[in-house]
Amino acid sequence: MESSGGPLIAVPEAVLPFWAGADGDETSSDHDRACDIDGYVGLLPVGDTRALVLGDEPAATAYLPEHGTFVRRHAADAEAGSLADVPAALEAAVWGPEMEWRVPGPVVLFDAARPGSASRQADHIRVDLTPGHYRVRAAYVSTGPETWLGLVRVRPLTS
């Protein structure tokens, strides 16, 4: 999936109605808050939980459940080639700082400019996460001369 130019956001289904996107009466919209995230990934309060913002720049994004990873294609000759590069990219990744994300259940990834109530009427990805605490880390990896992938790994936090 792709955004219309801003960040993508993974909002827990339980709080989708609380995400106003670019709409709203406040001086700073939810979309503005998402745009203020510095770096590849960040967390924002939404309702009584937090949403995961995939920051940096707009990029075509897929979720690969077998790797527990959002894969963002920043530059690649072909989509099939970039997805085939994921195992090597995960192996070569130099991961950024870890953050903890408490998730109440499945999340929906969509363009942060859209309100949560309209998220399923456009391009979106539903990710079935089990309620619990997750470790989130991001990396930016080159797997070839013209292939750059952003990786956001979401792994259950074990005791």
Side-chain angles (χ1 to χ4, degrees), residues 9 18 44 46 48 55 61 85 95 133 144 150:
I9 189 162
F18 296 105
L44 281 180
V46 179
D48 63 353
T61 302
D85 292 336
W95 297 99
H133 292 263

Side-chain angles (χ1 to χ4, degrees), residues 1-10 31 54-55 57-63 70-80 82-83 108-114 118-126:
M1 70 160 296
E2 296 186 44
S3 80
S4 59
L8 296 174
I9 189 162
H31 180 257
L54 305 184
E57 60 184 59
T61 302
Y63 180 74
F70 290 99
V71 178
R72 311 191 76 208
R73 185 182 64 210
H74 293 282
D77 285 337
E79 181 177 345
S82 61
L83 292 179
V108 180
L109 181 76
F110 58 97
D111 188 328
R114 294 192 170 283
S119 64
R120 292 192 179 127
Q121 298 166 356
D123 203 8
H124 71 281
I125 298 171
R126 184 177 187 272

Side-chain angles (χ1 to χ4, degrees), residues 85-146:
D85 292 336
V86 170
L90 289 169
E91 195 66 34
V94 176
W95 297 99
E98 184 176 288
M99 60 183 75
E100 187 178 325
W101 184 27
R102 183 187 60 80
V103 178
V107 300
V108 180
L109 181 76
F110 58 97
D111 188 328
R114 294 192 170 283
S117 58
S119 64
R120 292 192 179 127
Q121 298 166 356
D123 203 8
H124 71 281
I125 298 171
R126 184 177 187 272
V127 179
D128 287 319
L129 295 179
T130 303
H133 292 263
Y134 288 80
R135 172 181 323 199
V136 178
R137 298 182 92 182
Y140 192 70
V141 180
S142 174
T143 58
E146 296 187 26

